[in-house]
Amino acid sequence: MRLGIDIGGTKTAAVAIGADGELSDQVRMPTGFGAEAVVATAIRTVERMTELAGVDASSFTSIGIGIPGAVDSETGRVEHAVNLGLEGLDLGPRLADRLGVDVRVENDVKAAAVGAHHLLGVAGGTRASSMAYLNLGTGLAAGVVLEGRLLRGGHGVAGEIGHVPVDPAGVRCGCGQRGCLETIASGLAIARAWPTNSEHPARELFDAAEAGDARAVAVREEFLEGVAAAVRLLVLAVDVDAVVIGGGLAALGEPLLFATRRILNQWAAESAFLASLDLATRVQVIPLGFPAAAVGAALVGEHQWLKSSS
């Protein structure tokens, strides 16, 4: 049994994976704010999972944590997880001391990439040798798996394509640059361009565009071109076999998938080079409700992920 925990800004999700690779027990609970509260949340989650599985924490062959922010996967230290109130927490060592078991910590998007890669293997019977997980949430980021190994990069920032500037005259990004991809294709981008009191702004935007609202169509198309540009960037940079869209905005489902493919096919019709890459067929959306980051966290302690690419 392997245990994975996804610590998010408001909720924490956990899943156990059996020796056959199938998911078993799942748990969700609120996430505390601040270092002590985050540690306590993780401990409570492990305790609940051990109750459900009927085993001690020491019985898990690996325990992993997926968490936002800059993560040193070697030491288990988390930096700059602003939404969790963390500015330096040795999360892995602290949990290991409390649980008596080694705990590995990984950035949540990178963990989700591992989880999506696992899903491709379960669903298709074989894993794509290379895959990118495109996380469309409040911001935009990606995790990349190459030759079955997670790509972290020399400084842990591989996949941070949300901060690749694509419009020098665009709005200023939270990172300090101007016109980053994240300012076009993200939840924040939609909120800025389509202000609303709706609990689901992206869904409202897509519905309004489908109903023929000209302004909604314009906002939606700009967002979709950003998503398509992210897919193109990932394929051109690392030539992945598949790009799996996940994150909160993946809940848009087929409308998001089909529209992204539409734009990629439009570009292909104008470029023999892009046509040769067949970008549209490489894109898919992760199934609604699949706990990618928790599943990936359960797997990051395994041998192949310990020796991930740099």
Side-chain angles (χ1 to χ4, degrees):
M1 294 281 286
R2 293 156 290 181
L3 173 60
I5 303 173
D6 172 25
I7 299 178
T10 58
K11 67 180 184 300
T12 291
V15 63
I17 303 179
D20 57 1
E22 294 297 319
L23 309 189
S24 54
D25 303 302
Q26 298 188 49
V27 163
R28 289 180 180 270
M29 64 177 59
T31 301
F33 186 82
E36 296 306 318
V38 167
V39 171
T41 298
I43 294 294
R44 285 199 305 273
T45 303
V46 173
E47 290 173 345
R48 180 58 180 149
M49 291 299 291
T50 58
E51 291 173 3
L52 290 174
V55 298
D56 294 329
S58 60
S59 298
F60 288 109
T61 56
S62 68
I63 297 179
I65 307 285
I67 191 168
V71 176
D72 185 331
S73 59
E74 294 297 322
T75 66
R77 184 172 176 81
V78 183
E79 302 280 0
H80 312 307
V82 179
N83 291 338
L84 290 169
L86 303 182
E87 281 296 339
L89 171 64
D90 292 320
L91 182 60
R94 286 191 58 174
L95 291 177
D97 288 345
R98 292 282 298 274
L99 299 170
V101 183
D102 285 341
V103 177
R104 289 193 58 81
V105 183
E106 185 58 82
N107 169 266
D108 58 344
V109 175
K110 289 183 173 60
V114 175
H117 184 259
H118 173 80
L119 177 64
L120 288 183
V122 171
T126 181
R127 292 195 174 103
S129 63
S130 62
M131 184 219 73
Y133 177 82
L134 176 59
N135 189 80
L136 299 179
T138 302
L140 182 153
V144 179
V145 175
L146 293 178
E147 301 300 328
R149 297 185 185 278
L150 182 64
L151 179 67
R152 293 190 178 93
H155 300 86
V157 296
E160 290 291 347
I161 64 169
H163 297 299
V164 174
V166 294
D167 181 7
V171 301
R172 188 167 296 280
C173 180
C175 75
Q177 301 183 97
R178 189 174 291 280
C180 290
L181 192 54
E182 183 172 287
T183 66
I184 300 171
S186 66
L188 284 174
I190 290 177
R192 183 181 63 254
W194 184 259
T196 175
N197 293 323
S198 171
E199 197 172 332
H200 304 288
R203 178 69 64 186
E204 181 189 84
L205 170 65
F206 271 59
D207 288 345
E210 188 64 26
D213 184 309
R215 179 169 159 271
V217 170
V219 173
R220 181 193 63 182
E221 291 303 294
E222 182 179 26
F223 164 75
L224 289 169
E225 287 186 2
V227 176
V231 173
R232 178 178 59 187
L233 175 58
L234 287 166
V235 172
L236 290 177
V238 284
D239 194 20
V240 288
D241 297 318
V243 178
V244 179
I245 298 175
L249 295 180
L252 290 166
E254 289 189 345
L256 172 62
L257 176 62
F258 294 158
T260 301
R261 286 175 173 171
R262 168 174 56 81
I263 290 175
L264 291 170
N265 282 327
Q266 288 173 353
W267 292 350
E270 300 168 355
S271 166
F273 170 64
L274 289 181
S276 72
L277 300 178
D278 207 7
L279 298 175
T281 65
R282 305 196 197 197
V283 185
Q284 55 187 283
V285 172
I286 203 158
L288 184 64
F290 179 73
V295 170
L299 300 173
V300 294
E302 294 186 325
H303 181 69
Q304 75 174 91
W305 302 110
L306 288 173
K307 293 191 174 181
S308 297
S309 303
S310 61

